[in-house]
Amino acid sequence: MKKPILKSIIVFSYIYCIGYILFDYPSDTFVMRTITGVMSFIFSCNLLLKILNNKKEKKLASD
């Protein structure tokens, strides 16, 4: 049950961050800045984990 919820949060953060980059959502309220910060944090951490995981897989595959 946790995995689909976690994946949907990650996908939502991807879509939100890409939309924020392309369309620059208004962030003049505290709530919007908080939402943008949380979504950006999730996006960045997940991207970093993917990169590290891919490097680890490539290293194991080459051994």
Side-chain angles (χ1 to χ4, degrees):
M1 183 65 182
K2 283 185 178 180
K3 202 153 192 151
I5 293 172
L6 183 62
K7 284 192 178 220
S8 63
I9 290 172
I10 291 170
V11 168
F12 180 71
S13 71
Y14 280 169
I15 292 169
Y16 184 86
C17 287
I18 289 171
Y20 183 76
I21 290 168
L22 293 177
F23 303 112
D24 192 28
Y25 295 143
S27 58
D28 27 278
T29 64
F30 177 74
V31 175
M32 285 301 290
R33 284 184 295 199
T34 305
I35 291 172
T36 302
V38 169
M39 291 299 175
S40 298
F41 180 75
I42 292 171
F43 177 76
S44 301
C45 288
N46 192 31
L47 193 60
L48 182 62
L49 288 174
K50 287 260 189 210
I51 290 170
L52 293 174
N53 194 19
N54 285 342
K55 284 185 178 181
K56 191 182 290 185
E57 287 178 2
K58 286 181 183 179
K59 187 176 180 182
L60 290 175
S62 66
D63 288 343

